[in-house]
Amino acid sequence: QVQLVESGGGSVQAGGSLRLTCVGYGYSRQYMGWFRQAPGKEREGVAAMNTEGSTTYADSVKGRFTISRDNAKNILYLQMNSLKPEDTAMYYCAATWYVNAGLSADRFNYWGQGTQVTVSS
């Protein structure tokens, strides 16, 4: 059974940085991504990465966020720099058996419980 466990969320001031970590259990070499959902808003894709290292980012985070992974340890990271108040959301790690799911949430099969990120102005 696939299980994804996120950590690394917290509260920071605008301009600060956080690194999210997602540890995966029960799978290997899947397409993985980070999503976020703010109160009253739909879940949106933030960044995703295939097993070969190809990445895709939402326009709103390009140049500020970096997704990476350690395939040997089944760990996915999201380095978030220059954080803005509008980045405040619950962040979720997700995985899918699709070779390339882009940032389409409906193509992801497995989800973590989420980690809260709060950015104050």
Side-chain angles (χ1 to χ4, degrees):
Q1 181 177 355
V2 175
Q3 184 179 9
L4 303 173
V5 181
E6 305 100 331
S7 62
S11 297
V12 296
Q13 291 190 329
S17 299
L18 285 172
R19 188 176 80 156
L20 305 184
T21 298
C22 171
V23 181
Y25 303 93
Y27 78 95
S28 63
R29 303 192 68 77
Q30 286 179 306
Y31 187 89
M32 297 187 71
W34 289 97
F35 292 77
R36 65 187 182 188
Q37 187 167 19
K41 295 187 176 181
E42 293 187 355
R43 187 169 297 189
E44 64 170 341
V46 175
M49 188 173 192
N50 67 11
T51 55
E52 283 70 46
S54 179
T55 59
T56 185
Y57 293 92
D59 288 342
S60 59
V61 306
K62 282 181 181 176
R64 300 189 298 123
F65 290 11
T66 302
I67 189 172
S68 61
R69 67 192 292 168
D70 183 331
N71 287 330
K73 297 180 179 179
N74 283 349
I75 299 176
L76 183 72
Y77 302 99
L78 184 68
Q79 178 66 44
M80 305 186 294
N81 298 329
S82 302
L83 282 161
K84 304 175 181 180
E86 51 264 44
D87 294 319
T88 295
M90 184 71 78
Y91 282 70
Y92 299 90
C93 172
T96 177
W97 292 111
Y98 277 93
V99 173
N100 184 348
L103 294 176
S104 300
D106 59 358
R107 290 191 168 191
F108 283 76
N109 311 107
Y110 306 104
W111 294 84
Q113 293 299 306
T115 185
Q116 178 68 37
V117 171
T118 303
V119 185
S120 58
S121 57

